[in-house]
Amino acid sequence: MKTRNLIPSIKIIGKTIVLFNLFLASNVHAQFKLIPKDVLEAVKEKKLLVALKNEIATQGKDSLTDDEVNFNTIYNKAIKEELSKYWKLTKGQIEYKTENEIRNMATPELKDYLLLHANWVVKVSRIQGEFVMFSFDLEYFEEDGSSESVFSLSYSPNDIVANADVIFMMKVLNNHIDMSQTLEDFTGYFNIERNIEDLKTKTLLLASNITNLSLDQVKKNYENEVRIVSPEEVAENISTENDEGVFIRLVWWGPEAVYGAFNTKDCDIVSIIGAGGLRVTLGSRQLEYYGPSGQSNFYSSATPYVNPWARNEHFSFQVFRSQYVLRKNHFKSILNEKWQKNNYRRVFGY
């Protein structure tokens, strides 16, 4: 059964989404930078505080629609069911509180915790445009109440953020912790030759909502096993930890959005694909622009499911329902050693 789009409406002020205005200050590290070893040591004895979302449709400026309540309820259920199964960063107990309860906590209380919260954010790329993504953020507190980022993962989810999303986030975090404990930098981390060989034994589970190509068209450009499946089937393979699958997610890496291929068992990244091409709808006209990987002439909102407006830099009209989708060259790049090296260098700087 196809899941109805439950992503709630988002209030945007300028380029900032105001949903979780809790902290006095926040020093956010760039994503997918290694976590300093002294930070790992400093937080391991802390308790984990997990922010839950409001499930009550209150009145006034903080009122929620039915879809927002439904979305929040599904998210809360998923985080409570899955997080403790995979959490390993800290040894202390795990506590769940609503965002409002956390806002009312005194500063001295907060410094005993590592805080995990998730919200919609706008990510802005100078080249690609604006992306509305769902972001998991992990941070701890200083004595003065300011917060310091430990880890952040922003990505484009499917219609709801449910159990498979929490599993994905937790496994990406755990992979990142392992790397941070053993590596000094990302040099040599991404073994391209090994990944390409490993992909020969996997089935690419291509969600139907991230490409306009037919299965035959994909197979002409990707020589390994591939199936076009529903987003729900991808989620099921993540939840069941299928050892033979690979899936693709649009994630935020540093200065840009990039499609990455992850295996379904431990959610380790096995290929960096690029950002896809841009499809835009202007009134009744639909235009498509497919530049090289990670490039676009449009500055716009670029997420399949949430459609806040953004103005194109070069024209006077507004651009609606912009979406990055995978094209032929992106599938070729998955198994192309030269393209993988270029993408790896662009994302990690090595």
Side-chain angles (χ1 to χ4, degrees):
M1 182 176 69
K2 183 174 177 57
T3 304
R4 188 165 66 91
N5 186 346
L6 298 178
I7 290 182
S9 60
I10 297 176
K11 301 177 181 66
I12 296 182
I13 301 177
K15 287 186 168 51
T16 303
I17 294 184
V18 180
L19 286 179
F20 195 79
N21 185 19
L22 173 63
F23 309 113
L24 296 175
S26 180
N27 302 313
V28 180
H29 294 148
Q31 284 188 289
F32 288 92
K33 297 293 184 183
L34 294 176
I35 304 170
K37 291 180 175 59
D38 61 332
V39 173
L40 292 174
E41 184 66 23
V43 302
K44 71 179 183 181
E45 300 298 332
K46 289 182 178 291
K47 296 178 284 188
L48 176 66
L49 181 59
V50 182
L52 299 177
K53 298 196 164 297
N54 189 6
E55 297 181 21
I56 301 173
T58 56
Q59 300 298 314
K61 63 183 181 68
D62 296 324
S63 62
L64 300 176
T65 66
D66 290 343
D67 278 352
E68 287 174 316
V69 170
N70 197 17
F71 180 94
N72 291 352
T73 301
I74 293 171
Y75 169 80
N76 288 347
K77 180 175 182 290
I79 199 86
K80 287 188 284 188
E81 287 179 350
E82 303 294 348
L83 183 139
S84 61
K85 299 177 186 177
Y86 301 96
W87 182 257
K88 69 177 190 179
L89 179 57
T90 60
K91 299 178 181 178
Q93 67 189 69
I94 299 175
E95 299 180 18
Y96 298 89
K97 294 181 181 291
T98 66
E99 293 174 350
N100 286 336
E101 288 174 327
I102 296 171
R103 287 190 184 97
N104 292 328
M105 291 177 67
T107 299
E109 291 182 273
L110 289 173
K111 67 181 179 59
D112 295 329
Y113 291 94
L114 196 63
L115 174 67
L116 176 67
H117 61 96
N119 276 298
W120 296 102
V121 296
V122 172
K123 294 292 187 178
V124 181
S125 164
R126 184 178 58 82
I127 295 174
Q128 298 166 308
E130 297 176 2
F131 295 79
V132 177
M133 291 184 164
F134 197 72
S135 183
F136 288 95
D137 294 285
L138 189 63
E139 48 200 320
Y140 67 94
F141 295 88
E142 305 285 5
E143 293 287 341
D144 63 359
S146 64
S147 62
E148 181 76 15
S149 173
V150 177
F151 180 78
S152 181
L153 172 66
S154 301
Y155 72 103
S156 291
N158 290 314
D159 288 339
I160 55 176
V161 175
N163 292 59
D165 297 89
V166 176
I167 294 170
F168 171 66
M169 182 274 294
M170 288 304 307
K171 289 187 174 182
V172 171
L173 171 60
N174 287 339
N175 293 338
H176 201 73
I177 293 169
D178 291 341
M179 287 188 292
S180 299
Q181 291 172 332
T182 57
L183 300 178
E184 296 302 322
D185 55 44
F186 283 111
T187 305
Y189 147 67
F190 200 63
N191 191 322
I192 293 170
E193 292 182 0
R194 182 191 64 200
N195 288 340
I196 291 175
E197 281 299 308
D198 190 48
L199 283 165
K200 293 179 180 179
T201 68
K202 311 290 186 185
T203 298
L204 174 58
L205 302 172
L206 182 60
S208 56
N209 58 346
I210 59 174
T211 185
N212 293 331
L213 300 178
S214 67
L215 182 59
D216 287 341
Q217 289 173 315
V218 174
K219 286 182 174 180
K220 289 178 181 178
N221 297 278
Y222 184 77
E223 61 189 48
N224 294 345
E225 186 69 25
V226 58
R227 294 194 294 122
I228 296 180
V229 300
S230 67
E232 290 82 5
E233 186 168 344
V234 174
E236 181 180 356
N237 277 268
I238 295 171
S239 296
T240 57
E241 300 185 331
N242 174 20
D243 194 26
E244 300 177 352
V246 174
F247 66 99
I248 295 175
R249 277 265 155 89
L250 184 66
V251 296
W252 183 260
W253 258 318
E256 63 183 277
V258 177
Y259 273 113
F262 300 81
N263 65 48
T264 48
K265 183 173 177 59
D266 59 21
C267 297
D268 197 16
I269 188 165
V270 292
S271 183
I272 301 171
I273 302 167
L278 183 64
R279 181 176 64 198
V280 299
T281 301
L282 307 173
S284 61
R285 296 186 302 151
Q286 187 172 90
L287 307 176
E288 294 189 353
Y289 170 83
Y290 300 102
S293 178
Q295 301 292 318
S296 168
N297 284 338
F298 293 91
Y299 280 59
S300 64
S301 305
T303 168
Y305 312 107
V306 188
N307 306 310
W309 67 266
R311 188 174 297 279
N312 188 295
E313 182 188 53
H314 306 291
F315 304 98
S316 61
F317 48 71
Q318 294 175 352
V319 179
F320 292 86
R321 292 212 309 276
S322 305
Q323 177 182 359
Y324 277 94
V325 288
L326 294 171
R327 300 295 286 172
K328 296 175 183 178
N329 281 348
H330 297 105
F331 293 105
K332 290 180 181 179
S333 76
I334 297 174
L335 303 174
N336 185 292
E337 186 174 340
K338 180 179 178 181
W339 288 1
Q340 284 300 300
K341 287 180 178 177
N342 288 337
N343 288 343
Y344 177 67
R345 189 177 301 114
R346 190 176 74 245
V347 168
F348 291 105
Y350 298 105

